[in-house]
Amino acid sequence: MNWRSILRTDAPAAVLLVRLAVGFTFMVAGSSKLRDLSSTSGFFEGIGFPAPAELAAMVGTFELLGGMLVLLGLFTRIAVLPLIVIMIMAILSTKIPTLVGGPFGPFAAPRGPNTGLAAFLTASRLDFSMLMTTVFLLITGAGPTSVDAKLVQRR
C-alpha cells in the first residue's frame, strides 16, 4: 500500500470547512448513538437490521471516531469509507421505504404517515449532503491544513 498516495491532497485550504462540517456532524451523531445505545438498538431492530445492539455500538463508534479523524484530517480517505457505507445504508433502510411508501427489501415500512417523493426529499436531505461531502473528501483528500498533509511533507 502506498501511504503517500492515500494521504496526498491537492485540495485547497477551504476544504477545511467541509472537514469541519462532516467531522462535527458525525461526531455528534456517533456520540448520540453511543450515549443511548438501547434506543439506537431499538431503532435498528425496528427497521429490520440483524444484531441491532452490536450494530448500534459499531455504527456509533465508526461515526464518532471517523468524525474525529476527519476533523483532524488524519487518514481522511480511509476514515470516510465506513462513513460512506453508513450513509448509503441509512438512505436504503430509512429513506427509500419513505419514497416507496412501504417496505424496501429487508427494511420495514416507514414509521410515519408521510410517504412519497416530497417526504423522501425532505427526509433525505441531510443524508444526501453527508454522503456527497464524504465522497468529496474521498476524492480530494483533507487539504493542506490537515495532519495528512503534514505527514506527506515529512516523508
Side-chain angles (χ1 to χ4, degrees):
M1 177 184 298
N2 184 349
W3 285 102
R4 189 173 188 78
S5 65
I6 291 172
L7 301 177
R8 186 188 59 74
T9 178
D10 294 324
V15 77
L16 172 63
L17 298 174
V18 175
R19 281 193 8 244
L20 291 173
V22 169
F24 175 78
T25 303
F26 276 110
M27 282 179 52
V28 170
S31 63
S32 175
K33 285 176 179 68
L34 293 173
R35 272 194 320 273
D36 193 358
L37 276 174
S38 63
S39 290
T40 305
S41 176
F43 176 76
F44 284 172
E45 183 177 29
I47 57 177
F49 280 108
E54 295 81 0
L55 185 62
M58 184 179 75
V59 169
T61 301
F62 274 122
E63 287 181 348
L64 179 61
L65 295 178
M68 291 172 151
L69 291 171
V70 168
L71 273 177
L72 293 170
L74 178 59
F75 306 121
T76 304
R77 286 188 170 104
I78 296 168
V80 299
L81 290 174
L83 301 177
I84 290 168
V85 171
I86 289 168
M87 295 318 305
I88 290 169
M89 290 308 299
I91 291 167
L92 290 175
S93 65
T94 63
K95 305 316 183 278
I96 300 298
T98 298
L99 176 64
V100 301
F104 178 72
F107 304 114
R111 293 185 173 178
N114 296 333
T115 60
L117 182 60
F120 165 77
L121 293 173
T122 300
S124 65
R125 66 191 185 280
L126 177 61
D127 299 49
F128 181 76
S129 296
M130 295 310 296
L131 177 59
M132 292 300 106
T133 52
T134 51
V135 170
F136 172 81
L137 290 172
L138 177 66
I139 294 167
T140 65
T145 60
S146 66
V147 176
D148 288 351
K150 305 300 180 235
L151 292 172
V152 169
Q153 287 173 355
R154 285 187 187 162
R155 290 180 153 234

